[in-house]
Structure formats: structure tokens, C-alpha cells
Amino acid sequence: MLFRSHVIFDLDVVGGLNLKKILGDRALAVFVKPPSVDALVQRLEARSTETPEKIAQRVAKAHHEMEYEPRFDTVVINDDLTTALQEAEEKVSHFLQKP
């Protein structure tokens, strides 16, 4: 009996693209992004868990990472967590059904 297994990784953009380069069409690269940088800032500030400097660092990193978006297979916009999760599940399920 042959078993198929599937692995999901949560990587930064460079790691995700490196893995995609190795696995090619056997991998689905999903770029998850906030609806906007302003929304990201609002979320981080609302958490009250990070200093303004740390928020600025994370926003700068987000700007940099968004430049990689076109190199991914698909994009999920995390505007609403439940909706984003459902969309991600649908995209992964569709990918796994390919022969």
C-alpha cells in the first residue's frame, strides 16, 4: 500500500521561494498578506505587545516581503481570519487534487 503525505511549512518569503525552487510544481507557494500596510500597523498597535520601534521594523519587513508576492503561486489576503483560512484551505485542497 502506498501512502501519500503532505507537509505544510510556514516560512518567510525567501525560505518559501527556496523551497519552491527545490520542489517545483510539487509545492504550492502561498503568499499571505494583510489587506494593507495601514491595516497591519493598526493590528500591531492594537495588540499593545510591541514597541513603536519594533512595529516600524515589522512594517519595513512587510514592505520588503510584499515585493516577492508576484513570485508566489497564489495569494491569500488576511483581512478576516475565518475567510482567509477558508480560502487557504480551498487553494491547498484544489492543489492536492491535481494529478
Side-chain angles (χ1 to χ4, degrees):
M1 178 187 265
L2 178 65
F3 292 97
R4 286 181 78 179
S5 61
H6 305 287
V7 179
I8 296 175
F9 289 95
D10 179 9
L11 304 169
D12 67 10
V13 292
V14 174
L17 291 174
N18 284 336
L19 191 60
K20 177 68 177 179
K21 188 162 82 173
I22 293 167
L23 296 175
D25 290 340
R26 295 178 296 155
L28 176 67
V30 180
F31 188 90
V32 180
K33 71 178 196 174
S36 68
V37 174
D38 289 338
L40 175 62
V41 171
Q42 290 173 357
R43 289 176 184 176
L44 294 172
E45 289 175 345
R47 290 180 190 163
S48 299
T49 58
E50 300 184 28
T51 65
E53 294 79 17
K54 184 66 175 174
I55 291 173
Q57 288 174 350
R58 290 190 59 180
V59 170
K61 182 178 179 183
H63 273 290
H64 173 72
E65 289 179 340
M66 285 185 203
E67 294 174 12
Y68 289 87
E69 178 184 343
R71 297 173 62 187
F72 281 72
D73 297 321
T74 190
V75 176
V76 172
I77 298 173
N78 185 9
D79 190 13
D80 171 74
L81 182 58
T82 302
T83 303
L85 178 59
Q86 180 180 356
E87 184 180 344
E89 288 175 343
E90 289 170 1
K91 289 176 184 236
V92 170
S93 178
H94 178 75
F95 174 78
L96 293 176
Q97 291 174 9
K98 290 182 181 180

